[in-house]
Amino acid sequence: MVVVAEAASLVLLLSASTAQADTTTVLALAGSVTDVLNNVRNWIMGVLAGLATVFLSIGGVRYVMGGGDPGEIEKAKTAFKAAGIGYGLAALAPLVVTVLQGIVGA
């Protein structure tokens, strides 16, 4: 088993050393500023919605597992509020990008 792993590592190292980098390839190319801002908007919306979902889940678990403890119930409500704010900001992300487009002049 160890011999197979060592052989695979050797093959990977040898193939990596003979590979040549193609310096003419552009990996990230945006056609315009609008494309960049739309990508930023989509990224922001995804991150905010993901975080809001995590906070919503944490709040739900805290509420269910709180067992009537007022401190835990309050922490759950705080997590629910944070999730609501996150979803609200994710919904407003297109407006932010529109404002940025106005500032940049795109």
Side-chain angles (χ1 to χ4, degrees):
M1 187 70 169
V2 173
V3 174
V4 173
E6 288 177 2
S9 298
L10 183 62
V11 168
L12 287 174
L13 286 174
L14 290 176
S15 65
S17 65
T18 59
Q20 295 181 1
D22 184 13
T23 57
T24 60
T25 303
V26 177
L27 297 177
L29 178 66
S32 66
V33 176
T34 304
D35 291 342
V36 172
L37 291 176
N38 286 334
N39 290 338
V40 168
R41 179 198 64 208
N42 292 337
W43 186 80
I44 289 172
M45 287 176 62
V47 168
L48 287 174
L51 285 174
T53 303
V54 167
F55 277 102
L56 187 65
S57 299
I58 290 171
V61 168
R62 280 194 161 177
Y63 193 80
V64 169
M65 302 298 271
D69 181 22
E72 284 298 315
I73 300 298
E74 194 60 37
K75 289 179 184 177
K77 288 180 182 179
T78 303
F80 288 144
K81 289 175 191 173
I85 291 169
Y87 284 126
L89 289 175
L92 290 175
L95 177 66
V96 171
V97 171
T98 304
V99 169
L100 285 175
Q101 284 177 339
I103 292 172
V104 173

